[in-house]
Amino acid sequence: MTFKEKVTAILEEGLSEKPSLFIVDVTISHSYKITVTLDGDNGVVLQDCIDISRLIENNLDREEQDFSLEVASAGVTTPLKLLRQYHKNIGRTLQVKTAKETIEAILEQVSNESIVLSWTARQQKKIGKGKETVEHKLEIPFSEIKEAIVIIIFN
């Protein structure tokens, strides 16, 4: 079992006790710096990071392999990576980049293959002068999404 497989197994076992948390990313550098990024259906609190850090520390032997460890929550500006993250953010505004365009819109629906975004825009009337507000909806397959970031709006 490789070092990364060992760390991942420890994480999966520990997170089975906290079903609302999930792993976004685990990286291990060539110098054995372990970086764990967590997210949760209800967010991640500091105690969650502490618990996961202790779990890893207590189940790896530094005599066998010396390592450094960093456990953090997925930040506000961290791009969405997992389907579970998209589900968690339904109703929030996302900035979605595709190969063709960048769209800032509300995440309305999520399926296993795509997301549906909606937004309103002012555009020229088809008949007459002036502008009208038009509702737009767009379904984007995950395969076309280059990056999706939650936009924080302060009201």
Side-chain angles (χ1 to χ4, degrees), residues 32-155:
Y32 293 95
K33 177 183 180 190
I34 306 167
T35 305
V36 178
T37 307
L38 300 174
D39 203 347
D41 298 325
N42 304 312
V44 179
V45 295
L46 180 60
Q47 190 61 49
D48 294 329
C49 294
I50 292 169
D51 293 344
I52 297 301
S53 180
R54 286 184 182 153
L55 176 76
I56 295 169
E57 285 277 349
N58 293 336
N59 286 289
L60 289 178
D61 184 6
R62 285 189 186 275
E63 297 296 322
E64 189 178 306
Q65 179 60 62
D66 194 26
F67 62 90
S68 63
L69 176 63
E70 179 181 309
V71 178
S73 63
V76 174
T77 60
T78 305
L80 303 180
K81 291 184 178 182
L82 305 174
L83 183 62
R84 195 165 170 182
Q85 289 178 295
Y86 284 93
H87 280 289
K88 171 186 161 182
N89 287 294
I90 290 176
R92 296 183 81 182
T93 302
L94 297 185
Q95 181 183 62
V96 178
K97 293 180 183 177
T98 66
K100 299 175 188 172
E101 60 188 337
T102 299
I103 303 166
E104 193 169 305
I106 295 171
L107 178 61
E108 278 204 355
Q109 296 175 0
V110 178
S111 71
N112 289 336
E113 296 83 31
S114 64
I115 61 173
V116 175
L117 300 174
S118 70
W119 70 97
T120 57
R122 300 280 294 161
Q123 59 188 55
Q124 197 67 35
K125 286 184 177 180
K126 292 179 181 165
I127 301 172
K129 294 181 179 180
K131 292 187 175 189
E132 62 185 348
T133 301
V134 179
E135 301 243 351
H136 296 279
K137 280 191 188 242
L138 179 63
E139 183 173 352
I140 304 173
F142 284 113
S143 60
E144 291 182 17
I145 298 174
K146 302 293 182 209
E147 182 180 76
I149 299 174
V150 176
I151 302 296
I152 304 301
I153 299 173
F154 297 99
N155 291 334

